[in-house]
Amino acid sequence: MRNVLISGAGIAGPTLAYWLARHGFRPTVVEPAPAARPGGSPVDVRGPALRVAERMGVLPQLRAAGTGVTSLRFVDAAGRQVGRVATGGRRGAGEVELPRGDLAALLSEAAREHAEFLFGDSISTLAQDADGVDVTFEHAPPRRFDLVIGADGLHSRVRRLAFGPERVHVRHLGMYVATVPLLSGPDDPADGVRMYNAPGRAAAVHPGRGRSLGFFAFRHPEVTDLHHRDLAGQRRLLGAAYAEDERTGAWRLPELLDRARTADEFYFDAVAQVRLDTWSHGRIGLLGDAASAVSLFGDGSSLALAGAHTLATALADHTEPTTALHHYETTHRRLVDPRQRNVLRAAALLVPRTSRGLRTRNLATHLLPSGG
Ligand SMILES: Cc1cc2nc3c(=O)[nH]c(=O)nc-3n(C[C@H](O)[C@H](O)[C@H](O)COP(=O)(O)OP(=O)(O)OC[C@H]3O[C@@H](n4cnc5c(N)ncnc54)[C@H](O)[C@@H]3O)c2cc1C
């Protein structure tokens, strides 16, 4: 069992490729994007993921790309601060926040020396037998692998091909999220996120290195016919959710919505979790968000890094792939399951449903040591 195909060069894919190569495997990573692209939503590397990154030798680069954000300030429609929480409290423990794309690019760079990367391509079909998996690609010629791992995110193709349709495994949490890159305003504090709330919706400016990110999260029942690539439909839904804020000129909403309507780089998706009874079928396994997305309110990136390391170790320790995959799943579920359960609490804090909930949240921040 030496040739492993990994679908997805996000966080989990390159980390798995790196560690498999260290254990003497020959990993191949296939990724539809033409190249690793920096930027995107800020994510955290913390807990066991820090140790994984440190042992990969990439921690100094991750720190250099860190956003340096240490606080979250809640503001009202006029931009006045109404609450504040420290988010960098555990940075002392070595945690780092950096844009998701930068993290993926740095991990890919670390793995590239040891693994084959097929950018601009994707798996078309998978057919497994007792000894391996026959794979066809959209562009590359067909190949046979000993093992295939889907690390291809929330909308995983490997999961769809080998485990069934997305609607069976993806659980909508009654919320949508959107992000858009901004040109930093002169008054954007470099260390702090500023967030405006109205009942059931939030909008924020998240400073980054050079470029801030506009962020929206709003409660809305699942729109079943809205495809995750339907940009026009997504922009309409976003505009409708914030119509009142735009009409009244609340905080920076008119500017943020204008960017969301016109910027080329616009990200939109459902806030969702992935839940499956099993993360493997024979020689096909799932990793990261593809297996167990916790949603953006969880520790998805750190779990992706930690899970990749656990899977590589299990594959190195067990020659029988099904035993290795089972071992990885049992171990990693202990980290994932509690975080999946805690996500609704974080969502309630960031996007309270009612005016009363909002007032209570803001008042509570003044009781914290960092409030004020
Ligand atoms: C707006 C937002 C904010 C977030 N905030 C945080 C946060 O603060 N903290 C945190 O820890 N996490 C956060 N997350 C979650 C975090 O980004 C994910 O949990 C993490 O990226 C999961 O890593 P992954 O490698 O499993 O998947 P991804 O990083 O999603 O990577 C999947 C890869 O697969 C590729 N792919 C897609 N389709 C195919 C295909 N057909 N074939 C091959 N490859 C394919 C994609 O292009 C991508 O490169 C946030 C997510 C979002 C969207």
Side-chain angles (χ1 to χ4, degrees), residues 7-8 10-12 30-32 41-42 100 122 152 267 288-289 296 299-301:
S7 177
I11 314 301
V30 59
E31 162 66 47
S41 301
R100 184 203 153 277
S122 187
D152 40 6
Y267 167 86
D289 274 10
L296 72 144
D299 272 339
S301 324

Side-chain angles (χ1 to χ4, degrees), residues 29-351:
V29 182
V30 59
E31 162 66 47
R37 206 175 50 178
S41 301
V43 297
D44 298 302
V45 178
R46 58 164 67 127
L50 271 176
R51 286 192 294 282
V52 175
E54 187 173 19
R55 290 177 60 199
M56 290 173 76
V58 296
L59 212 42
Q61 292 94 310
L62 302 197
R63 293 203 191 292
T67 60
V69 162
T70 57
S71 70
L72 166 60
R73 298 149 205 242
F74 297 111
V75 297
D76 65 12
R80 286 181 300 248
Q81 187 172 312
V82 289
R84 182 178 189 274
V85 285
T87 57
R90 286 176 292 174
R91 301 269 182 264
E95 288 186 15
V96 55
E97 181 193 83
L98 74 164
R100 184 203 153 277
D102 292 36
L103 176 57
L106 289 166
L107 294 168
S108 287
E109 215 172 285
R112 264 186 113 138
E113 224 180 282
H114 319 280
E116 177 190 17
F117 275 73
L118 304 173
F119 279 105
D121 208 346
S122 187
I123 295 172
S124 292
T125 62
L126 296 168
Q128 66 171 316
D129 53 43
D131 305 315
V133 189
D134 290 313
V135 181
T136 64
F137 296 92
E138 285 179 4
H139 303 293
R143 280 163 72 173
R144 187 171 169 82
F145 292 88
D146 297 318
L147 195 69
V148 173
I149 301 296
D152 40 6
L154 183 60
H155 304 290
S156 167
R157 182 173 292 185
V158 170
R159 191 183 61 226
R160 179 164 57 73
L161 291 172
F163 296 77
E166 185 164 312
R167 64 186 145 74
V168 179
H169 307 296
V170 176
R171 197 167 129 186
H172 193 277
L173 297 185
M175 214 184 278
Y176 285 92
V177 61
T179 65
V180 64
L182 306 173
L183 305 166
S184 293
D187 58 343
D188 289 348
D191 64 336
V193 179
R194 283 189 300 161
M195 178 175 281
Y196 161 81
N197 284 97
R201 56 191 189 274
V205 172
H206 198 122
R209 278 176 193 274
R211 223 163 51 143
S212 297
L213 195 79
F215 169 91
F216 304 86
F218 61 98
R219 296 185 183 273
H220 197 288
E222 183 176 13
V223 182
T224 44
D225 57 352
L226 181 67
H227 191 265
H228 69 269
R229 295 219 177 88
D230 176 5
L231 218 63
Q234 295 167 353
R235 285 180 160 136
R236 269 197 306 277
L237 192 64
L238 182 75
Y242 292 85
E244 190 186 331
D245 305 305
E246 188 166 33
R247 187 175 51 76
T248 57
W251 189 48
R252 291 173 64 174
L253 265 300
E255 168 208 343
L256 294 180
L257 289 163
D258 185 55
R259 278 293 290 164
R261 284 195 190 99
T262 52
D264 290 338
E265 241 179 275
F266 172 69
Y267 167 86
F268 186 101
D269 211 336
V271 177
Q273 290 193 335
V274 173
R275 304 233 182 163
L276 287 108
D277 293 337
T278 175
W279 295 347
S280 62
H281 280 325
R283 289 172 175 267
I284 302 174
L286 296 173
L287 174 67
D289 274 10
S292 58
V294 283
S295 91
L296 72 144
F297 297 115
D299 272 339
S301 324
S302 294
L303 290 169
L305 270 150
H309 181 259
T310 303
L311 175 54
T313 309
L315 288 167
D317 287 351
H318 304 273
T319 40
E320 179 55 44
T322 49
T323 312
L325 287 166
H326 176 73
H327 197 271
Y328 139 73
E329 179 172 336
T330 312
T331 309
H332 192 54
R333 272 196 195 271
R334 281 187 219 122
L335 273 185
V336 168
D337 289 353
R339 281 174 176 78
Q340 284 201 321
R341 285 195 295 271
N342 287 337
V343 150
L344 293 179
R345 237 179 287 154
L349 179 78
L350 287 176
V351 195

